[in-house]
Amino acid sequence: VEARDAEQVRALAGDLHEADAADILVALHADDRAPFVSLLGKDFDFAALTEVDEQIRVAVLEELPTEVVVEGMRELDSDDAVYILEDLDEAAKAEILEQLPIPDRLSIQRSLDYPEETAGRRMQTDFIAVASFWTVGQTIDFLRNQSELPDDFYEIFVIDPAFRLAGTVPLNKILRAKRQTRIADVMNETSHPVLATEDQEEVARLFERYNLVSTAVVDEGGRLVGVLTIDDMVDVMKQEAEEDLRALAGVGDEEISDSVTDTVRSRFIWLLVNLATAILASMVISLFDGAISKMVALAVLMPIVASMGGNAGSQTMTVAVRALATREIDRRNMVRTIVRETTVGAINGVLFAVLIGIAAGLWFEDVLLGVIIGAALIINLVVAGLAGILIPLALDRLEIDPAVASSVFVTTVTDVVGFSAFLGLATWFLTG
Amino acid sequence: VEARDAEQVRALAGDLHEADAADILVALHADDRAPFVSLLGKDFDFAALTEVDEQIRVAVLEELPTEVVVEGMRELDSDDAVYILEDLDEAAKAEILEQLPIPDRLSIQRSLDYPEETAGRRMQTDFIAVASFWTVGQTIDFLRNQSELPDDFYEIFVIDPAFRLAGTVPLNKILRAKRQTRIADVMNETSHPVLATEDQEEVARLFERYNLVSTAVVDEGGRLVGVLTIDDMVDVMKQEAEEDLRALAGVGDEEISDSVTDTVRSRFIWLLVNLATAILASMVISLFDGAISKMVALAVLMPIVASMGGNAGSQTMTVAVRALATREIDRRNMVRTIVRETTVGAINGVLFAVLIGIAAGLWFEDVLLGVIIGAALIINLVVAGLAGILIPLALDRLEIDPAVASSVFVTTVTDVVGFSAFLGLATWFLTG
C-alpha cells in the first residue's frame, strides 16, 4: 500500500474513524507514517494523532511539513490541538501556533499556559453559554443559526454578564421544556465546576463519583473558561490506574512502543534499588554464617520464610496502595484497617506455620527445626501485614506516591525480618 | 445523629447527592445503616446503594422491610434497580419483583435474564426511540409531551417498524437542526450497537476507543432492547484495571470493607501456591548442599541472583499483562515484543553482572566467585525477560487470564533458574 499511491490509500483509509486510523498509523513501518498522513491529505483526521503513543506522535509531526500540520490542526477541537502540541519542542510549537488563525491560537495558548496535567490543559475552549433570562426557544434558535459549534456537547452553560458561571442545562432538559420556559427555570445550580488549575486526577475522580458527562471549567474569578468531557477523563482514569500498577512492579512510564534503550534505562533504576535491598538481606545472612556452615538445612529453608513474608506483604500493600489512590482509606477507617491487616497476617501466619513446620520437620527429621521455621513464619507474616499497611500510609503522609516506593521498603522489611528471625532462632536453639 | 431523630436526619442528609449519601452510609456503624435509610424515608435516594460495596448493600437491603425497598426501587432507573437486585438471594429477589408494577418488573426481569457481566445486565431499558420519517419538530414535541422519560439521555435512537435499530441522533444535532428536517437526515448510521450478550469489558473498551457517551444495545435480531451509558462503563473500566492489579499481587476480589475471615480465605490460596513454589526452590538448593557446606558464601549470595531475576521478570510481566488486557499486543507485534524484552533482559543482565561481580569479588576476596555470580545473573535476567513475556502470552493463548496466573510461574522460573545457575556454576568451578 505504501507505494505512495494516494488514490488507493485515500479510498481505503479516507473514511475511517480516528481510532482506526490511529491503529493503521501504529501498524505501519516508522518510515511510512508521515507519508501516510501526507497521502491522505485532507482525509486524514488529525484527531487520530491523539490516540497514538507520544513517541509516534512526535516523530510524525516532526517529519510533516508545518503547513500540513497547521491545516490539520485547524479542524481540531481545542483540547485535541493542545494534546498534540504539548509534547513538541518550543520552537516547533511556536512555528505552528504562528500560522494558526488568531482565535484558535489564543485559545490554544491559553490552555498551554496552564501547568501540565491540570484541568486547564485538558479542557476544550469551545462551548455554548447563554444568559439565564433567555428562553428555551431563544436558545434553540441560537443553536440553529450558529455555524461554528463544537463537534459534540452535552450541556449548555448559563452565565451572568461578567461571564461568571451561574449554572448548567443538560440538552435533554432543553428538549423537554416548552419554548417559552426561561433558562433560569430549567438550569441546575450544582454543576460541579472545577478550577482550571486543579489536578486532572482529582477532576477524573469527580466525574466518576458524580457520574458526570461534562463539567464547566472556571478561572479563579469564577469565570467560565472551558469545558471538560468524559472521554478525556476516561483517558486520565486509565492512565492513573496503569501508573499505579507499573509503579508497584517498578516499571516507569513506559509504552510497549518505547525503544530498548529507554526501557533498559527506566528499569535499571528499580533493579539497582532492588540490588541494594538484596545485598542488605545477604549481609543479614552473613551474620549467621557460622550456624549455616554447621547446618546446611538452614540455607535450604531460609528462602521459604523470606518469600512467604514478601508475598503476604505485597498482598496487603497492593490493597492499601489502591485504597489510598481511590481515597477509600482515610482517617476514620485507618486504625480499623491496620488492626484488620495485622490480624489477617497473624491468622495466615499460624496456618502456614503449622503446614511448613510439619513439612520441614519431616523433611529433615528434626522436630525443633520445624518449630523454629513455624515461629519465624508467624513473626514474618505479622510483620508483613504491618509493613504492608504502615509503609504506604507513612509514604502517603509524607506526600510520596505510595505506589512508587512502597514495594522496596516492604520487601526489605520482610527479607530482613524473615532471615534474621529464622536464622537467629536457629542459632539460639539449634547450633548454639 | 442516630438517636432515631427523623426530622434532624432528614434536614441534614435529605438533599444530598447519591454519592455523598453513600459515603454517610459507609461511615455509619453497621447497625445504624438500615435505620438511617428508614428515617430518611422518601428522601433517601436508593441510587446511593449502587455506590457502596456489595456486602454493605446486601446487609442494608436484608434489614429493610420489603415495602420500603419496593418503594425505593420504583424511583430508580432500570439499570440501577438490576444492580441492586442481582446480589440478593433468589427468594428476596422474587419477593421484591412481585410487588413492583408490571412494566418495571418486566424490564428488570429481562435484564436479569442475561448472564452476569454482559451488556444486557448493565443496560438501562428506558430509552427514546423514534421513526426515521419523523421530523425534528415532531421529535421535540414528542419529548415535550412525554412525562415518563429517563433521568438523563444523550442520544435518541431511530428504529424501523420492527423495532430494529436504524441509527442514532445525538441531542445536539436535534437542537441544531431546523424543525422541518427529517430525522433520517441528521442520524448517524455508525452507532456502534452492542449485542446484549456481549461481555461488559469488551463494551467498555469500545466506549474508550470510540469516545462514546452512550450506545444502543440490541438483541440477536437487531432489535433495540436498551441503552448503555458511559457512567456504568467507567465503573467497569475501573473494576477491570483493579482486577488486574489485585490478581498480579495475588489478592482476590476483595474490598477494604471485607471481613477478616473472607480476607484470610482469599489470600490463603495464593500463599499456598507460593509455598509450593518456595519449596520447589528449596529442593533445588538442597541438591547443592555439599557445595554450600564447603562454602557458606554461596548461601549468603544466592538470594541476590534469585531476587534480581524475580524483579526483572515481574517488570516484563506487568507490562505484558496490561498490554494483553488492553489489546496492545497482538499477532503483528508479538515477535518484536519478545525480542525486545529479551534484549532488555540481556543488557540489564550484563550491567548488573559487572556491578555484582565486582562487589561479590571484593566482599569475599575471590575473583572467580565474582565471575560466577555475574554469569548466573546474566542467565537469570535473560530467562526472566523471556519468561516475563512468554508466560503471559501462553496463558492468554490458553484462555487463562494472564493477570491471575502469570506471577507464580514467572517467580518459579526465576527462582529455579537463579539458584541452579549460581549453585551449579559454583559447584563446577569452585568446590568440585
Side-chain angles (χ1 to χ4, degrees):
Chain A
V1 189
E2 283 311 314
R4 311 294 185 252
D5 181 349
E7 281 306 310
Q8 190 79 11
V9 171
R10 223 173 285 159
L12 283 171
D15 242 4
L16 289 177
H17 186 277
E18 56 194 61
D20 300 314
D23 271 2
I24 297 188
L25 213 51
V26 172
L28 283 175
H29 189 277
D31 297 337
D32 288 334
R33 283 172 189 150
F36 170 74
V37 174
S38 301
L39 286 176
L40 275 179
K42 276 200 175 306
D43 286 340
F44 179 76
D45 181 353
F46 267 62
L49 286 174
T50 64
E51 310 275 339
V52 303
D53 291 346
E54 177 181 337
Q55 267 209 318
I56 298 179
R57 180 167 55 246
V58 172
V60 169
L61 288 172
E62 280 173 356
E63 257 187 76
L64 285 175
T66 313
E67 300 79 53
V68 175
V69 176
V70 169
E71 200 50 49
M73 303 260 306
R74 292 180 59 162
E75 307 292 314
L76 289 182
D77 285 344
S78 71
D79 55 339
D80 287 340
V82 168
Y83 194 85
I84 287 182
L85 274 185
E86 64 182 358
D87 299 321
L88 294 181
D89 58 47
E90 289 305 323
K93 224 185 273 180
E95 200 186 331
I96 294 170
L97 277 175
E98 220 166 74
Q99 298 185 35
L100 281 172
I102 292 173
D104 290 9
R105 192 198 310 165
L106 288 179
S107 70
I108 292 176
Q109 193 60 57
R110 181 153 66 166
S111 282
L112 284 173
D113 286 344
Y114 287 106
E116 270 187 63
E117 313 218 322
T118 58
R121 222 11 129 71
R122 288 280 77 80
M123 73 190 178
Q124 141 92 291
T125 49
D126 300 325
F127 49 80
I128 293 148
V130 300
S132 62
F133 55 80
W134 281 29
T135 63
V136 166
Q138 268 180 300
T139 308
I140 297 184
D141 292 340
F142 169 77
L143 291 173
R144 284 195 184 134
N145 295 322
Q146 280 284 315
S147 57
E148 286 267 323
L149 290 176
D151 280 355
D152 274 317
F153 55 96
Y154 314 104
E155 49 186 14
I156 285 178
F157 300 105
V158 185
I159 49 172
D160 70 9
F163 231 78
R164 274 192 299 267
L165 182 71
T168 59
V169 196
L171 295 189
N172 71 66
K173 279 215 179 173
I174 294 187
L175 281 171
R176 286 179 210 194
K178 307 251 175 269
R179 278 187 71 88
Q180 57 276 24
T181 316
R182 280 178 56 239
I183 287 289
D185 298 330
V186 287
M187 83 180 188
N188 299 333
E189 290 198 20
T190 50
S191 59
H192 307 283
V194 297
L195 265 177
T197 48
E198 202 156 339
D199 186 82
Q200 60 179 9
E201 292 189 2
E202 290 300 329
V203 182
R205 217 160 290 139
L206 202 72
F207 269 77
E208 197 195 310
R209 182 174 169 87
Y210 296 110
N211 296 333
L212 304 181
V213 167
S214 72
T215 191
V217 181
V218 296
D219 65 11
E220 297 75 33
R223 279 180 302 269
L224 185 63
V225 290
V227 52
L228 279 170
T229 48
I230 181 76
D231 53 323
D232 299 317
M233 291 304 106
V234 164
D235 294 338
V236 172
M237 290 172 205
K238 190 185 157 201
Q239 201 181 319
E240 192 195 356
E242 303 222 323
E243 269 172 17
D244 280 356
L245 181 72
R246 292 215 186 95
L248 281 171
V251 193
D253 185 19
E254 76 177 55
E255 306 279 355
I256 202 90
S257 61
D258 278 1
S259 72
V260 169
T261 346
D262 286 343
T263 312
V264 168
R265 200 176 303 133
S266 89
R267 297 195 193 167
F268 182 85
I269 298 156
W270 176 260
L271 289 174
L272 193 64
V273 174
N274 178 62
L275 177 61
T277 312
I279 290 180
L280 188 67
S282 290
M283 286 170 157
V284 172
I285 300 173
S286 76
L287 293 178
F288 302 97
D289 55 358
I292 294 174
S293 69
K294 280 189 212 152
M295 195 172 187
V296 180
L298 298 181
V300 173
L301 292 176
M302 66 183 189
I304 297 183
V305 181
S307 143
M308 294 295 286
N311 269 279
S314 32
Q315 288 181 330
T316 303
M317 181 189 72
T318 307
V319 175
V321 164
R322 269 317 281 178
L324 281 169
T326 57
R327 308 279 188 275
E328 280 178 84
I329 294 188
D330 51 26
R331 252 159 243 279
R332 287 169 302 171
N333 59 5
M334 196 156 67
V335 178
R336 206 198 300 166
T337 313
I338 296 173
V339 173
R340 180 171 158 277
E341 290 300 329
T342 320
T343 319
V344 170
I347 297 175
N348 267 330
V350 172
L351 294 174
F352 281 99
V354 174
L355 272 177
I356 300 178
I358 294 174
L362 291 176
W363 186 0
F364 293 96
E365 292 170 0
D366 186 336
V367 177
L368 191 53
L369 185 62
V371 173
I372 285 172
I373 193 173
L377 204 74
I378 295 177
I379 295 173
N380 208 18
L381 287 201
V382 171
V383 169
L386 268 174
I389 181 83
L390 290 180
I391 289 175
L393 282 175
L395 290 172
D396 191 57
R397 184 63 61 89
L398 297 172
E399 302 199 354
I400 300 169
D401 182 358
V404 175
S406 289
S407 40
V408 191
F409 290 112
V410 173
T411 344
T412 310
V413 170
T414 54
D415 273 3
V416 169
V417 170
F419 288 130
S420 43
F422 178 56
L423 296 175
L425 287 172
T427 308
W428 194 270
F429 291 105
L430 282 174
T431 65
Chain B
V1 189
E2 282 312 313
R4 310 294 185 252
D5 181 349
E7 282 304 313
Q8 190 79 12
V9 171
R10 222 173 287 159
L12 284 171
D15 242 3
L16 289 178
H17 186 277
E18 58 196 61
D20 300 314
D23 270 1
I24 297 189
L25 213 53
V26 172
L28 284 174
H29 189 277
D31 296 338
D32 288 334
R33 284 173 189 149
F36 170 75
V37 175
S38 302
L39 286 176
L40 275 178
K42 275 199 178 305
D43 286 339
F44 179 77
D45 181 353
F46 267 62
L49 285 174
T50 63
E51 310 276 340
V52 303
D53 289 346
E54 176 181 338
Q55 268 210 316
I56 297 179
R57 179 166 57 245
V58 172
V60 169
L61 288 172
E62 279 173 356
E63 256 187 76
L64 286 175
T66 313
E67 305 80 75
V68 176
V69 177
V70 169
E71 200 50 49
M73 303 260 306
R74 292 180 59 163
E75 306 292 316
L76 289 182
D77 284 343
S78 71
D79 55 340
D80 289 339
V82 169
Y83 194 87
I84 287 182
L85 274 184
E86 65 182 357
D87 299 320
L88 294 180
D89 60 47
E90 289 305 323
K93 226 185 274 182
E95 202 187 330
I96 294 169
L97 277 175
E98 221 166 73
Q99 298 184 37
L100 281 172
I102 293 173
D104 291 7
R105 192 199 309 164
L106 288 180
S107 70
I108 293 176
Q109 192 61 57
R110 181 152 66 163
S111 281
L112 284 172
D113 286 345
Y114 287 106
E116 269 187 64
E117 315 218 319
T118 58
R121 226 2 136 69
R122 286 282 78 81
M123 73 190 178
Q124 141 91 293
T125 50
D126 299 325
F127 50 81
I128 293 146
V130 300
S132 62
F133 55 80
W134 281 29
T135 63
V136 165
Q138 266 180 302
T139 308
I140 297 184
D141 293 340
F142 169 76
L143 291 174
R144 287 198 181 130
N145 295 323
Q146 280 284 315
S147 57
E148 287 268 323
L149 291 176
D151 280 354
D152 275 315
F153 54 97
Y154 313 104
E155 48 186 12
I156 286 179
F157 300 105
V158 185
I159 49 172
D160 71 8
F163 231 77
R164 273 192 301 266
L165 182 70
T168 59
V169 196
L171 295 189
N172 70 66
K173 279 215 181 175
I174 294 186
L175 281 171
R176 286 180 210 194
K178 307 249 173 273
R179 278 188 70 90
Q180 57 276 26
T181 316
R182 279 177 58 237
I183 286 290
D185 297 328
V186 287
M187 85 182 186
N188 299 332
E189 292 197 20
T190 50
S191 58
H192 308 281
V194 298
L195 265 177
T197 48
E198 200 155 339
D199 185 83
Q200 59 179 11
E201 292 190 2
E202 290 300 330
V203 182
R205 217 160 290 140
L206 204 71
F207 268 76
E208 197 196 309
R209 183 175 168 84
Y210 296 110
N211 297 332
L212 304 180
V213 166
S214 72
T215 192
V217 181
V218 296
D219 65 11
E220 296 76 33
R223 277 180 304 268
L224 185 63
V225 291
V227 53
L228 279 171
T229 48
I230 181 75
D231 52 322
D232 299 318
M233 290 305 106
V234 164
D235 294 338
V236 172
M237 289 173 208
K238 188 183 160 203
Q239 203 181 318
E240 192 196 355
E242 303 224 321
E243 268 172 18
D244 280 355
L245 181 70
R246 291 214 186 95
L248 281 171
V251 194
D253 186 19
E254 75 176 56
E255 305 278 357
I256 202 89
S257 60
D258 278 1
S259 72
V260 169
T261 347
D262 286 343
T263 312
V264 168
R265 201 177 304 132
S266 89
R267 297 196 192 166
F268 182 85
I269 299 155
W270 176 259
L271 289 174
L272 194 65
V273 173
N274 179 61
L275 178 61
T277 311
I279 290 180
L280 188 67
S282 291
M283 286 170 157
V284 172
I285 299 174
S286 76
L287 293 178
F288 301 97
D289 55 358
I292 294 174
S293 69
K294 279 189 214 154
M295 195 173 183
V296 180
L298 298 181
V300 173
L301 292 176
M302 66 185 189
I304 297 182
V305 181
S307 141
M308 293 296 285
N311 269 278
S314 33
Q315 290 180 330
T316 303
M317 181 190 73
T318 306
V319 175
V321 164
R322 269 318 282 179
L324 281 168
T326 57
R327 307 279 187 275
E328 280 178 84
I329 293 188
D330 52 28
R331 252 162 244 276
R332 286 169 304 170
N333 59 5
M334 196 156 67
V335 178
R336 206 198 301 167
T337 313
I338 296 173
V339 172
R340 181 171 157 278
E341 290 300 329
T342 320
T343 318
V344 170
I347 297 177
N348 268 328
V350 172
L351 294 175
F352 281 99
V354 173
L355 272 177
I356 300 177
I358 294 174
L362 291 176
W363 187 359
F364 293 96
E365 292 169 1
D366 185 336
V367 178
L368 192 53
L369 185 63
V371 174
I372 285 173
I373 193 171
L377 203 74
I378 296 177
I379 296 174
N380 208 18
L381 288 201
V382 172
V383 170
L386 269 174
I389 181 83
L390 289 180
I391 291 175
L393 283 175
L395 291 171
D396 190 58
R397 186 63 61 88
L398 297 171
E399 302 199 354
I400 300 169
D401 182 359
V404 175
S406 289
S407 42
V408 192
F409 289 112
V410 173
T411 346
T412 311
V413 169
T414 54
D415 273 2
V416 167
V417 170
F419 288 130
S420 42
F422 178 56
L423 297 174
L425 286 172
T427 309
W428 192 269
F429 290 105
L430 282 174
T431 65

